[in-house]
Amino acid sequence: MKKITLLHTVKSIYNSFPTLLEEALGEKIKMTNIVDEILISNTLEKGEFTSWNKERLLCDMRVAEEEDSDLLVVTCSSLTPYVLEMADRISKPLVTIDSAMCRTAAKKGENILVLATAATTVGPTMDRIKMELDRIGKKALLRSSLRTDAMDALKRDDVDEHNRILSEESGKYMDADVVVLAQASMAPAKESVERVKDWVVLTSPESCIEEVKAFYENN
């Protein structure tokens, strides 16, 4: 049986992503789920990802070793730079939820909009897309927009309002050709944003699942 450790910082992703992953792989998977909300709440409170947070994150990552999982999947894009920084300190392969999405954005986009609902996500996602653009030697216009009110709506379980805010915000950037919904929790807004214009809308859960499927196909 396949064994995966998943590290989340948002309960809504814990509630949805494991099921989506299992359905995509078409079989039962032994999953260990870690939900560590303090990694983000503490960062917002302190204004930085502290050394204490890095130690805590590394402990979470090492659960994959303790469980002898095939793979560690980190579902929070705000954590990506720190996870990659410490990747060589664990013995298990890992996938970050936004890696494939950022590669696709760099490949397909000439005018890329990164939409986010959490401040901690904007910098890591922009930096990752810039890195991918540099890797393939490509120039593109890259902009971001932050709508924390959409996150507030989601916390109230008002998904319709969350989606409305994000589709409204994307409409301010009609010259964009690729829209990146930076956080996994934003995936429900994909169809609403796609209705604004005929552009490419990327979500991290969908891209991440394809990357996990590729991992098992190649191993």
Side-chain angles (χ1 to χ4, degrees):
M1 179 182 288
K2 293 178 174 64
K3 296 174 68 176
I4 300 176
T5 295
L6 298 106
L7 172 57
H8 317 279
T9 60
V10 179
K11 287 180 182 177
S12 63
I13 303 306
Y14 161 68
N15 290 333
S16 60
F17 187 77
T19 301
L20 293 173
L21 183 57
E22 205 164 56
E23 288 174 352
L25 292 175
E27 60 185 279
K28 195 72 177 173
I29 305 165
K30 185 180 187 308
M31 295 190 197
T32 300
N33 286 278
I34 308 160
V35 182
D36 197 343
E37 295 177 299
I38 200 170
L39 288 171
I40 299 303
S41 62
N42 183 264
T43 300
L44 290 170
E45 181 181 337
K46 302 292 185 182
E48 62 176 327
F49 201 81
T50 64
S51 58
W52 181 88
N53 266 326
K54 288 185 179 182
E55 290 176 12
R56 185 181 178 97
L57 173 58
L58 182 58
C59 287
D60 288 341
M61 292 169 64
R62 283 180 170 158
V63 171
E65 295 178 321
E66 182 67 23
E67 292 291 293
D68 194 26
S69 296
D70 307 322
L71 183 66
L72 168 65
V73 178
V74 181
T75 68
C76 176
S77 50
S78 296
L79 298 180
T80 294
Y82 312 107
V83 169
L84 297 178
E85 179 184 319
M86 294 187 283
D88 61 354
R89 298 179 66 180
I90 67 168
S91 60
K92 297 295 181 179
L94 67 87
V95 169
T96 58
I97 196 157
D98 57 343
S99 295
M101 178 181 69
C102 291
R103 285 197 299 271
T104 302
K107 181 180 178 181
K108 293 187 173 183
E110 302 293 337
N111 189 331
I112 305 166
L113 170 64
V114 174
L115 272 181
T117 61
T120 54
T121 306
V122 178
T125 303
M126 295 284 282
D127 289 345
R128 187 60 187 264
I129 296 174
K130 287 174 187 174
M131 184 184 76
E132 294 297 338
L133 287 167
D134 289 343
R135 184 180 62 82
I136 61 177
K138 180 179 174 182
K139 300 289 187 182
L141 177 62
L142 181 60
R143 293 174 291 177
S144 67
S145 180
L146 174 64
R147 290 296 298 262
T148 56
D149 52 339
M151 175 62 81
D152 293 338
L154 198 61
K155 288 178 178 178
R156 299 192 304 270
D157 293 324
D158 192 345
V159 178
D160 289 343
E161 178 65 4
H162 168 269
N163 297 350
R164 185 199 66 76
I165 291 169
L166 293 177
S167 60
E168 176 188 82
E169 186 65 19
S170 66
K172 299 175 183 178
Y173 300 85
M174 294 299 287
D175 54 341
D177 55 11
V178 170
V179 179
V180 175
L181 300 182
Q183 295 138 242
S185 60
M186 298 169 69
K190 181 178 181 181
E191 290 185 5
S192 296
V193 175
E194 285 176 333
R195 286 195 290 269
V196 175
K197 180 189 169 184
D198 183 21
W199 47 17
V200 176
V201 181
L202 301 176
T203 66
S204 54
E206 185 177 13
S207 302
C208 180
I209 286 170
E210 290 304 312
E211 192 164 10
V212 173
K213 287 171 66 176
F215 169 82
Y216 279 109
E217 288 167 2
N218 297 321
N219 290 278

